[in-house]
Amino acid sequence: MSARFSEKQMSQLNGPYSAIARDSNEGLRVHFGNEPRDSEAADIEDNDLFESSTQLTDAMEVADSDTLYYGISLGNRRRMHKGRGFWVTVGLLVLVSVVGMFWLYYDGINWMQRSKKRNVILMISDGFGPASETMARNFFQQTNNLSIGYQSPLDEILVGSSRTRSSDSLVTDSAAGATAFSCRLKTYNGAISVTDDKTPCGTVLEAAKLQRGMATGLVATSRITHATPGAFSAHTLSRNMEDLIAEYQIGNYSLGPVVDLMFGGGRCHFMPNTQPESSCRMDDRDLWADAKAAGFRTLSSRKEFDSLDTSDAKLLPVLGIMAPSHMDYEIDRDPKEQPSLAEMADKALKILDTSTKKKNAGFFLMIEGSRIDMAAHTNDPAAHLRDIIAYWDAIAVVRKFVDEHPDTVMISVSDHETGGFSVAKQLTPAYPDYLWKPEVLKPVRHSIEYILAQLLGQPSGDSQETRYRFVRDTVFPDWMGVRDASHEEITSVAMETDSVRLRQLLSTAISDRAQIGWATHGHSAVDVNLYAYGKDAHVLRGNHENTDIGQFIIDSLGLDLDAVTNQIKGERVVQQSTPIKEAWLGRRDVDAAEHYPLIH
């Protein structure tokens, strides 16, 4: 049969047809659906059915001839066409997947990191070593009658440890330690975000602001111009160049203002030396006025701090400097005068969160428990302890924020250990008892720094007897909680006028009674604990170089520090005026009154 059926005819052949209802009352009638037909209609339908059968036979013959012509049946050819389409689709999907994988590997991760909102909070517990965490935990557990299994807010998020050496020493200082975090490189002790060849290196804070449009902040209990906050916001050959660091922080360089929020101490480095009662600058630059002119909202009191509206999305930039030099130790802090580290952290988080809520970019915030380190330099166990617990409070605040913002990661790490601290001390040549006494630290009410200022600030005309009674009746029992001081101890403290020797006498009086030890007034080379919580915190498990912390931040945010380094390579790194040179490491920054006698 040469004729072929049209598409319409073939579709009709494949259509449904009626069945013969043999058991119906209508006899052998053909039914279409459920509708009965009369006999004449049935005859006509029978003829149509016969003709349809004939057409079906012809169609089968056509199919047979097609099989002979193509070598494959019509049905199989249709199935092949369908199969070919399926495999073409699969091939395209595989090709797209392969191309996508290459893009993801080479550029996609950075693209996703740049497009996805992230918050990074780096908390630095300056001078805080593993033994200090043990001491604070033991004290808190025992004095609060907690279970032996008590864990501090840090214990619960311990992930590893960090090595601390600098490029020129196994024992780092804070400047080189912070530069390892901020620039992801090792440099020499004393360097503020400059390389070994003394050229500026781009920081994670600068890159976060410039490349991702993130909000940025610094919170510290030291001067905001001090080594750690300085290493994220400035570039100087020496940490002592705090006048220049202050200039960087208000945007007096090629990048302009890159720090949106600053809370801490150190107002004296922003005030001109024409105001000697409030300045420690070596020139007459009024950076406080310059900051206001640059758009900063400035504040210098607890009242102003409390009045900040954290719901104001246009509040930034803010410069909150609430002490002339360092903020007070937690043990000395008057809550009516200065906020705690936890309060500053909480306020900073709320302000930065509000300012970025409607943006695709999050924020980078560095929070430093600065004075943990300074207490250890003085070998002051009680002040060291209280600032550690205050740091725990700040950790709890930040952890709560992370819980509420799953796009956030918090890292907590120390730049180094200070004091060579040990939770044990041998007092006699005899074999020592295995114990230390946390209860000795509980009644201590003031830091050695505070006591020192009171002793050295007494009128020079006071008699030896007056000084003796002051030490016997006030210093030892009321301020230090020591009620068994010997005549020799009281006399030594009352008669001493050198600040270094006087600090040592006060330290020994408390440390020996608690049976805790110190190996140095400086830093040590011990590895420090590494803590992390939130997004991708597991990446930091294990032992790391301190530069790995900087790399983690870079990877988390998709930053390019080399690009920033190229932008700032010509920046000034030397302060024009002669910087204040501090004394030996044990006296670093613990004698604000000695360095700046007119500041109160």
Side-chain angles (χ1 to χ4, degrees), residues 418-429:
T418 301
F421 179 72
S422 61
V423 197
K425 188 172 187 177
Q426 184 167 340
L427 301 177
T428 69

Side-chain angles (χ1 to χ4, degrees), residues 159-460:
V159 295
S161 58
S162 172
R163 306 173 191 177
T164 62
R165 66 170 298 166
S166 64
S167 66
D168 65 344
S169 176
L170 290 172
V171 181
T172 190
D173 85 321
S174 293
T179 299
F181 303 144
S182 66
C183 286
R184 186 205 48 195
L185 56 80
K186 299 280 189 181
T187 191
Y188 60 91
N189 283 353
I192 297 292
S193 290
V194 295
T195 64
D196 275 334
D197 60 7
K198 300 183 178 181
T199 59
C201 56
T203 72
V204 291
L205 183 147
E206 291 170 325
K209 168 60 69 176
L210 298 176
Q211 296 171 1
R212 294 209 55 184
M214 301 177 75
T216 58
L218 300 172
V219 174
T221 50
S222 66
R223 296 190 293 270
I224 203 68
T225 54
H226 208 237
T228 301
F232 288 86
S233 55
H235 308 274
T236 65
L237 297 188
S238 170
R239 59 181 291 167
N240 295 328
M241 298 178 181
E242 292 186 54
D243 289 357
L244 179 55
I245 291 172
E247 293 181 38
Y248 270 100
Q249 289 175 332
I250 65 168
N252 189 20
Y253 74 125
S254 62
L255 300 184
V258 295
V259 189
D260 296 311
L261 179 146
M262 287 175 274
F263 288 155
R267 192 167 55 252
C268 67
H269 280 289
F270 294 85
M271 307 305 291
N273 63 4
T274 54
Q275 301 176 21
E277 73 285 352
S278 59
S279 175
C280 56
R281 286 190 67 84
M282 304 301 290
D283 59 28
D284 60 359
R285 291 285 304 275
D286 187 347
L287 297 189
W288 198 253
D290 290 351
K292 290 181 178 180
F296 280 89
R297 183 187 303 262
T298 59
L299 55 132
S300 56
S301 69
R302 174 73 200 233
K303 183 178 179 180
E304 292 173 310
F305 174 83
D306 289 341
S307 68
L308 286 173
D309 182 4
T310 59
S311 65
D312 183 359
K314 298 181 179 180
L315 185 67
L316 299 175
V318 173
L319 177 63
I321 308 298
M322 286 154 285
S325 185
H326 301 307
M327 297 183 72
D328 291 337
Y329 283 115
E330 181 63 22
I331 198 172
D332 302 321
R333 182 178 66 86
D334 182 350
K336 296 178 181 179
E337 298 294 326
Q338 295 180 4
S340 67
L341 180 64
E343 290 173 317
M344 291 193 293
D346 183 57
K347 182 91 62 172
L349 289 169
K350 289 176 179 175
I351 292 172
L352 294 173
D353 184 46
T354 297
S355 71
T356 59
K357 194 172 292 292
K358 296 182 179 180
K359 300 179 182 179
N360 191 44
F363 62 81
F364 171 80
L365 174 63
M366 190 285 296
I367 302 171
E368 184 190 29
S370 319
R371 307 221 67 190
I372 297 172
D373 167 74
M374 298 174 193
H377 276 299
T378 313
N379 292 176
D380 183 344
H384 187 59
L385 166 69
R386 295 313 200 289
D387 266 69
I388 291 169
I389 294 174
Y391 185 77
W392 285 355
D393 292 341
I395 288 288
V397 167
V398 175
R399 284 182 57 179
K400 181 176 183 293
F401 181 89
V402 174
D403 288 337
E404 296 167 352
H405 299 77
D407 53 355
T408 303
V409 63
M410 177 197 75
I411 310 108
S412 176
V413 67
S414 304
D415 46 0
H416 54 76
E417 191 273 347
T418 301
F421 179 72
S422 61
V423 197
K425 188 172 187 177
Q426 184 167 340
L427 301 177
T428 69
Y431 194 80
D433 294 328
Y434 292 163
L435 80 165
W436 83 276
K437 302 174 181 179
E439 65 275 11
V440 170
L441 304 181
K442 187 174 182 179
V444 181
R445 294 176 53 196
H446 285 297
S447 69
I448 289 175
E449 178 181 277
Y450 175 91
I451 297 170
L452 186 76
Q454 304 307 309
L455 289 170
L456 296 180
Q458 287 190 309
S460 56

Side-chain angles (χ1 to χ4, degrees), residues 28-150:
L28 297 176
R29 288 185 180 179
V30 179
H31 288 248
F32 289 85
N34 295 321
E35 183 181 355
R37 303 288 183 177
D38 58 26
S39 299
E40 184 178 354
D43 291 340
I44 294 172
E45 291 169 0
D46 287 341
N47 291 334
D48 290 341
L49 184 60
F50 176 77
E51 290 177 3
S52 296
S53 300
T54 304
Q55 291 173 347
L56 181 59
T57 302
D58 291 343
M60 293 173 65
E61 291 177 359
V62 171
D64 288 341
S65 63
D66 281 348
T67 302
L68 291 172
Y69 183 80
Y70 290 106
I72 188 169
S73 69
L74 180 61
N76 285 340
R77 281 192 290 115
R78 284 178 173 172
R79 285 191 291 273
M80 283 184 64
H81 280 297
K82 292 180 180 178
R84 187 178 299 122
F86 169 77
W87 287 112
V88 167
T89 302
V90 171
L92 288 173
L93 288 173
V94 170
L95 179 62
V96 170
S97 299
V98 171
V99 171
M101 288 174 64
F102 275 98
W103 173 81
L104 183 65
Y105 181 78
Y106 287 105
D107 195 53
I109 293 175
N110 281 338
W111 178 86
M112 288 190 297
Q113 288 170 333
R114 291 174 186 272
S115 63
K116 186 174 177 61
K117 186 172 182 177
R118 296 288 297 273
N119 303 316
V120 173
I121 304 164
L122 175 60
M123 300 189 68
I124 300 175
S125 47
D126 200 325
F128 179 40
S132 296
E133 171 69 3
T134 301
M135 181 264 293
R137 184 197 312 117
N138 288 167
F139 172 88
F140 198 81
Q141 178 268 321
Q142 183 166 316
T143 58
N144 289 281
N145 296 315
L146 302 175
S147 67
I148 294 176
Y150 165 76

